[in-house]
């Protein structure tokens, strides 16, 4: 074993949380060592383009298809779910359907870019609705960091659209870029749906098809400079972006934005001060070394491999004044547990959450132009909050622009069906495809899930990856609170389609395979949203939580765990903007303490 | 003799895209090669010879007769039908799909017959995107804000829907 020179901070994981903290710390002149488990192929524009070619050539155009893992840093893959034979060891009873990417840039390489703030009431689920638990921070504490995160990620939206359910903004604030234009399909649906009223008991809600804040470059406001494609070289030099200054409508935000108009963590890393940043790729953190006397971290052991196809490695130890885990909600917990660090009352890894989501899909009465524009540009946010949350989960709808791609495998499946089953060819075929594909509508109904200690990431020495690191073992179940939310959400979707004249195919049995849960005699097919959270939750009470509001581990004074693992509850918003706001807040704290 | 010409003629009729557009994809040679490699040159020859023997559609009644023969002799053939359908799918999505198992049992084995994208560029050049007034996901981006307008679905010769949309 060798020992590296000390740094001010050792950061584990070059995803969005790690990138934002690295940028802030190096910007303050603090010396950072960043360990990244995956290859650094997405750093250069050429390398990134090879991932794009990989996507073009892939038979399955899944979220993971452009980003195959290195042998030494495996990752979950949605195609492994059905046979439950992937990186995760799933103990059930339900399957955890989400994935992430272990490559430089992390899961933002394939995220969709939805960048909603949490609602004020989401931070107070226990006091307000008697379920879940409260955050130690409130909306107002995070609001300034949300604003900063919106600038770091480059979020496009108009404040005028985003004031609902108590979400508020500073008086002179607006997003750095104008909202991404709504798609034609959003406008057609909106014309039919806006003003539709939904009742839950005595509470009514008026629905509206609303543009959502997206981390995709659009028309900048004021002096804001959109950040485009990353092109870093091994010698530390970089080229200015030639592409990606504005979304061009490639309709593949997930799994890969060809021009990088969509945010990925590489953009923040490209802005870090390279004089203070040492970056090691293909370096898998494997153990946190702790002083048994006081719990202080003494170093992080990591395994370095030369060849992404091989599992040969050498071991070294990274040392710094503080250590920050930003390896993703599951990997942070896995690394802690692999090091024997289970946290207060063994809470590390517990209360794993996601947004189990249902699809609703159908055929619009006219050509709405599916398969164009960002994969989605609007949602329905009106049912994210309300008194009903005492009884069942809240939810939001994402309204797709990519037809039945995720529900049935369209457009290819539509072509196959027309050619193979309907035996069409020639003009009849072409006419049928134009007619069907351009009318396909899809919504994702993402349902809130509450923290439950039984839903957990654990490790088991029986199950190791190729480097000998323990694989995540996942226990997961979807409770009645969430299932009752599924009932409510699917009812609203059905009514919405009826009102818009959309022929509903959700129950037609023509969907791809997804895991199911049962409730009140009904079967619900659900999919994961990639919204892992809760695995190292923050709190005020050192007994009831793993980290404090600065994301510092209660039991280890120089160890921080950042990311959506820190969320006590997750509401209905996609997690990344909130985890980015928390990362900036932690970075401020670190700069203030480390500069002393 | 090169089979490219009859292959293109057949492809144009069964995809409802004119030969110039097929050639414009730059994929014709590699698709022809793919079919030949998988099902064999002789079998493809037979399909194309049969195709060339169809009555020329100069009059309305003959047009019908030609369509019937195409449907019966080629698409209706246990041996040639699956190949013809695969050629359509090749052009529309750039993917060769594994032939039905009944075909392989009767006429196989065809060792290279697995589902695959012929080349990254064949995905990008799939005709289905043009047919629906869209663009392949991840390529040929139509430009900022283009998605806010109704789709433009290009009219085509023989379009059964008389009114352009
Ligand atoms: C298909 C999909 C769509 C999504 N869409 C959205 C969306 O629209 N909006 C939204 O808010 N969120 C979305 N998400 C979730 C979003 O991707 C995550 O919330 C976010 O990327 C998490 O950031 P992170 O930095 O915590 O982790 P990651 O982005 O996963 O980064 C972690 C990094 O750590 C590295 N690492 C892991 N283990 C180790 C180790 N042992 N040693 C060293 N390095 C390690 C990884 O390689 C990776 O680079 C989506 C997710 C998926 C899967
Ligand atoms: S629509 Fe296209 S250009 Fe825009 S962010 Fe998504 S992938 Fe990138």
């Amino acid at each position: 074993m060798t020992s590296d020179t000390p740094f001010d901070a050792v950061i584990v994981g070059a995803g969005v949380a790690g990138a934002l903290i690295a940028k802030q710390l190096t910007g303050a002149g603090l010396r950072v060592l960043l360990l990244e488990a995956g290859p650094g192929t997405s750093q250069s524009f050429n390398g990134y383009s090879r991932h794009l070619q990989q996507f073009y050539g892939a038979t399955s155009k899944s979220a993971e298809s452009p980003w195959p893992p290195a042998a030494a840093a495996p990752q979950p893959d949605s195609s492994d779910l059905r046979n439950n034979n992937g990186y995760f060891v799933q103990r059930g009873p339900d399957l955890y359907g989400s994935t992430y990417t272990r490559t430089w840039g992390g899961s933002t390489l394939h995220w969709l870019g939805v960048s909603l703030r949490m609602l004020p009431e989401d931070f107070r689920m226990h006091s307000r609705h008697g379920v879940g638990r409260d955050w130690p921070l409130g909306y107002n504490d995070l609001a300034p960091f949300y604003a900063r995160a919106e600038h770091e990620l480059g979020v496009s939206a108009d404040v005028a659209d985003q004031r609902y359910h108590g979400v508020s903004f500073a008086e002179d604030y607006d997003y750095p870029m104008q909202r991404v234009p709504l798609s034609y399909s959003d406008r057609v649906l909106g014309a039919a749906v806006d003003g539709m009223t939904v009742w839950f008991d005595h509470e009514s809600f008026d629905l509206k098809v609303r543009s959502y804040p997206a981390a995709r470059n659009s028309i900048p406001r004021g002096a804001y400079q959109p950040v485009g494609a990353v092109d870093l070289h091994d010698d530390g030099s970089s080229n200015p972006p030639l592409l990606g200054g504005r979304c061009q409508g490639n309709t593949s935000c997930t799994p890969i934005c060809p021009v990088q108009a969509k945010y990925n963590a590489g953009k923040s890393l490209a802005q870090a001060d390279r004089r203070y940043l040492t970056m090691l790729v293909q370096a898998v953190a494997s153990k946190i070394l702790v002083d048994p006397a006081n719990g202080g971290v003494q170093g992080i052991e990591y395994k370095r491999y030369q060849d992404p196809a091989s599992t040969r490695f050498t071991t070294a130890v990274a040392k710094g004044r503080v250590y920050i885990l930003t390896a993703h909600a599951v990997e942070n917990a896995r690394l802690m547990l692999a090091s024997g660090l289970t946290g207060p009352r063994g809470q590390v890894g517990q209360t794993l959450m996601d947004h189990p989501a249902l699809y609703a899909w159908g055929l619009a009465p006219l050509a709405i132009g599916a398969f164009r524009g960002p994969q989605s540009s609007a949602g329905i946010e009106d049912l994210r909050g309300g008194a009903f949350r005492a009884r069942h989960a809240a939810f939001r709808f994402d309204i797709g622009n990519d037809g039945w791609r995720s529900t049935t495998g369209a457009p290819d499946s539509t072509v196959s069906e027309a050619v193979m089953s309907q035996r069409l060819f020639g003009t009849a075929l072409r006419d049928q495809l134009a007619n069907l594909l351009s009318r396909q509508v899809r919504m994702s109904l993402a349902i809130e899930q509450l923290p439950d200690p039984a839903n957990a990431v654990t490790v088991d020495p029986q199950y190791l990856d190729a480097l000998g690191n323990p694989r995540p073992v996942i226990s997961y179940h979807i409770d009645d609170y969430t299932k009752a939310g599924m009932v409510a959400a699917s009812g609203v979707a059905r009514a919405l389609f009826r009102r818009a004249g959309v022929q509903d195919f959700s129950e037609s049995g023509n969907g791809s395979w997804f895991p199911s849960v049962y409730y009140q005699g009904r079967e619900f097919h659900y999919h994961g949203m990639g919204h892992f959270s809760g695995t190292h939750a923050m709190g005020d009470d050192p007994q009831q939580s793993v980290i404090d509001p600065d994301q510092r581990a209660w039991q280890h004074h120089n160890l921080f765990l950042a990311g959506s693992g820190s969320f006590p509850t997750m509401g209905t918003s996609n997690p990344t903007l909130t985890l980015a706001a928390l990362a900036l807040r932690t970075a401020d704290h670190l700069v203030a303490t480390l500069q002393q | 003799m090169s089979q490219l010409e009859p292959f293109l003629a057949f492809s144009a009729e069964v995809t409802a895209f004119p030969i110039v557009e097929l050639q414009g994809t730059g994929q014709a040679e590699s698709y022809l090669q793919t079919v030949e490699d998988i099902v064999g040159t002789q079998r493809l020859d037979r399909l194309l010879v049969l195709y060339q023997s169809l009555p020329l559609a100069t009059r309305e009644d003959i047009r019908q007769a030609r369509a019937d023969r195409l449907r019966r002799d080629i698409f209706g053939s246990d041996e040639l039908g699956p190949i013809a359908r695969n050629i359509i799918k090749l052009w529309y999505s750039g993917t060769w799909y594994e032939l039905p198992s009944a075909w392989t049992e009767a006429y196989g084995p065809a060792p290279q017959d697995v589902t695959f994208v012929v080349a990254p560029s064949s995905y990008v050049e799939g005709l289905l995107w043009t047919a629906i007034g869209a663009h392949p996901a991840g390529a040929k981006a139509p430009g900022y804000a283009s998605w806010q307008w109704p789709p433009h679905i290009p009219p085509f010769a023989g379009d059964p829907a008389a009114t352009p949309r």
Side-chain angles (χ1 to χ4, degrees):
Chain A
M1 280 199 194
T2 56
S3 217
D4 298 332
T5 45
F7 290 88
D8 290 308
V10 175
I11 301 180
V12 178
V16 48
L20 290 175
I21 295 174
K23 180 183 163 188
Q24 300 302 314
L25 299 195
T26 55
L30 294 164
R31 286 172 310 147
V32 170
L33 172 64
L34 177 59
L35 303 176
E36 166 52 45
T41 41
S42 49
Q43 294 181 54
S44 71
F45 190 74
N46 283 344
Y48 189 94
S49 302
R50 280 194 292 276
H51 287 285
L52 182 63
Q53 293 293 319
Q54 184 128 17
F55 165 67
Y56 290 164
T59 314
S60 150
K61 300 268 186 285
S62 68
E64 300 82 23
S65 56
W67 313 107
Q75 67 194 20
D77 190 299
S78 40
S79 64
D80 298 331
L81 195 60
R82 190 166 190 175
N83 296 322
N84 189 8
N85 59 358
Y87 173 52
F88 288 163
V89 180
Q90 300 229 26
R91 289 240 160 99
D94 298 322
L95 287 171
Y96 193 94
S98 285
T99 64
Y100 50 87
T101 298
R102 290 174 91 190
T103 295
W104 186 88
S107 309
T108 50
L109 291 168
H110 73 196
W111 76 319
L112 181 56
V114 182
S115 299
L116 294 155
R117 296 182 178 197
M118 286 173 66
L119 306 180
E121 67 178 73
D122 291 335
F123 296 89
R124 302 176 57 244
M125 285 300 286
H126 191 72
S127 2
R128 179 81 189 266
H129 299 299
V131 296
R133 53 192 173 189
D134 287 356
W135 283 56
L137 300 168
Y139 180 84
N140 290 336
D141 299 317
L142 268 197
F145 298 99
Y146 271 139
R148 274 171 61 189
E150 282 152 2
H151 282 72
E152 290 291 341
L153 269 52
V155 178
S156 297
D158 294 356
V159 150
D161 294 329
Q162 306 304 330
R163 289 197 181 95
Y164 52 82
H165 281 304
V167 174
S168 58
F169 299 86
E171 208 159 293
D172 52 351
Y173 183 75
D174 212 331
Y175 286 83
M177 292 172 280
Q178 294 175 21
R179 73 177 196 183
V180 173
L182 288 180
S183 67
Y184 179 64
S185 131
D186 295 333
R187 294 196 285 141
V188 170
L189 270 181
V193 166
D194 286 359
M196 170 178 161
T197 304
V198 169
W199 287 89
F200 290 144
D201 286 340
H202 303 297
E203 225 179 343
S204 72
F205 302 86
D206 288 341
L207 304 192
K208 178 175 163 59
V209 172
R210 194 187 295 268
S211 156
Y212 64 66
R216 304 181 194 119
N217 288 334
S218 125
I219 299 171
R221 289 196 162 91
Y224 183 79
Q225 296 267 345
V227 182
V230 174
D231 194 11
L232 292 178
H233 302 276
D234 288 343
D235 62 5
S237 65
S238 67
N239 288 335
L242 296 173
L243 278 175
R246 190 161 306 171
C247 172
Q248 325 177 321
N250 266 300
T251 329
S252 66
C253 320
T254 301
I256 180 168
C257 175
V259 295
Q260 301 183 48
K262 182 196 70 176
Y263 175 81
N264 66 63
K267 295 189 185 187
S268 296
L269 285 170
Q271 296 167 48
D273 190 331
R274 295 289 284 233
R275 290 172 302 171
Y276 303 107
L277 178 64
T278 304
M279 215 152 43
L280 293 184
V281 296
Q282 303 184 178
V284 187
S286 50
K287 193 164 187 202
I288 305 165
L289 308 172
V290 169
D291 180 347
N294 64 11
V297 176
Q298 297 171 318
I300 291 186
E301 177 196 275
Y302 62 93
K303 295 175 176 170
R304 193 112 204 261
Y305 56 95
Q306 291 304 320
D307 174 2
S310 141
T311 54
R312 292 180 46 165
F313 63 89
T314 52
T315 304
V317 174
K319 287 180 180 290
R321 291 163 66 197
V322 298
Y323 299 85
I324 306 148
L325 308 188
T326 54
H328 182 272
V330 168
E331 295 295 327
N332 279 356
R334 192 195 61 74
L335 180 56
M336 292 286 284
L337 296 171
S339 314
L341 310 179
T342 57
R345 297 185 176 182
Q347 290 175 88
V348 168
Q350 294 185 354
T351 66
L352 171 69
M353 296 171 273
D354 192 2
H355 288 134
L358 313 177
Y359 285 126
W361 67 101
L363 282 182
L366 71 162
I368 42 96
F371 301 96
R372 300 178 312 144
Q375 261 143 336
S376 66
S377 37
I380 292 179
E381 318 294 345
D382 308 289
L383 301 166
R384 290 176 54 197
F388 65 85
R389 294 175 90 183
R391 298 182 304 280
H392 68 72
F395 48 88
R396 74 173 291 268
F397 290 2
D398 177 279
I399 303 171
N401 292 326
D402 58 349
W404 296 355
R405 175 183 293 284
S406 36
T407 61
T408 68
D412 296 38
S413 61
T414 314
V415 174
S416 277
E417 158 88 15
V419 175
M420 302 304 285
S421 309
Q422 302 181 326
R423 303 279 154 140
L424 297 178
F425 59 87
T427 52
L429 171 68
R430 187 168 168 179
D431 188 58
Q432 158 112 333
L433 292 178
N435 175 32
L436 284 184
L437 286 165
S438 63
R439 291 195 291 136
Q440 292 183 347
V441 179
R442 177 273 300 171
M443 298 193 297
S444 296
L445 328 178
I447 324 276
E448 169 181 32
Q449 184 167 38
L450 294 176
D452 175 349
N455 287 347
V457 178
T458 55
V459 294
D460 179 336
Q462 268 191 75
Y463 301 110
L464 303 178
D465 70 14
L467 290 197
N469 293 320
R471 289 158 54 196
V473 177
I474 293 193
S475 305
Y476 182 66
H477 106 283
I478 296 176
D479 69 6
D480 285 356
Y481 182 83
T482 297
K483 289 178 189 168
M486 289 179 173
V487 172
S490 59
V492 173
R494 209 176 308 127
L496 189 156
F497 275 176
R498 211 178 304 126
R499 180 166 162 136
V502 171
Q503 187 189 353
D504 201 332
F505 278 73
S506 316
E507 308 282 333
S508 68
N510 76 340
S512 309
W513 180 87
F514 290 102
S516 330
V517 286
Y518 296 85
Y519 186 64
Q520 294 180 341
R522 280 178 66 188
E523 181 179 12
F524 292 95
H525 301 283
Y526 69 94
H527 60 279
M529 292 283 286
H531 298 174
F532 299 79
S533 60
T535 49
H536 44 80
M538 63 165 61
D540 280 328
D541 181 345
Q543 294 304 311
Q544 302 296 336
S545 51
V546 175
I547 55 172
D548 72 12
D550 293 323
Q551 305 193 88
R552 181 208 301 258
W554 287 116
Q555 295 181 333
H556 311 281
H557 63 87
N558 59 346
L559 178 66
F560 293 76
L561 288 86
S564 47
S566 305
F567 297 4
T569 58
M570 63 184 316
T572 49
S573 56
N574 313 43
T576 308
L577 186 77
T578 301
L579 78 84
L582 290 175
L584 293 171
R585 190 172 178 279
T586 292
D588 280 6
H589 168 86
L590 286 167
V591 168
T593 48
L594 291 172
Q595 276 181 338
Q596 277 168 17
Chain B
M1 188 199 99
S2 163
Q3 292 291 57
L4 191 60
E5 225 171 279
F7 179 70
L8 279 170
F10 172 73
S11 297
E13 183 153 358
V14 297
T15 60
F17 276 83
I19 287 175
V20 280
E21 276 189 65
L22 298 185
Q23 278 175 325
T25 67
Q27 304 298 313
E29 286 81 0
S30 65
Y31 289 168
L32 175 60
Q33 188 71 49
T34 300
V35 181
E36 287 182 338
D37 287 351
I38 294 171
V39 304
T41 316
Q42 290 185 354
R43 208 174 258 125
L44 178 65
D45 281 357
R46 247 183 305 125
L47 188 157
L48 296 177
V49 167
L50 200 57
Y51 173 71
Q52 285 168 304
S53 73
L54 296 180
L56 285 179
T58 45
R59 291 195 339 244
E60 192 52 44
D61 55 334
I62 304 180
R63 190 168 298 145
Q64 193 51 47
R66 179 181 171 86
D68 291 346
R69 287 273 307 278
L70 188 59
R71 185 176 301 282
R72 193 186 64 213
D73 296 351
I74 296 183
F75 284 99
S77 150
D78 287 346
E79 184 182 4
L80 302 180
I83 301 172
R85 283 186 279 278
N86 260 22
I87 292 173
I88 301 178
K89 289 191 285 181
L90 258 184
W91 283 107
Y92 267 87
S93 62
T95 302
W96 173 268
Y97 286 88
E98 189 179 338
L99 288 159
S101 51
W103 190 94
T104 324
E105 277 158 29
Y107 309 104
Q112 299 180 51
D113 177 33
V114 292
T115 300
F116 66 100
V117 178
V118 173
S121 59
S122 55
Y123 162 71
V124 171
E125 295 297 339
L127 297 178
L128 82 91
W129 309 107
T130 312
I132 66 173
H135 64 94
K140 300 191 181 178
Y144 182 76
S146 52
W147 54 88
Q148 64 180 323
W149 307 111
H152 172 70
I153 295 172
F156 56 98
D159 188 346
T163 46
R165 263 157 305 172

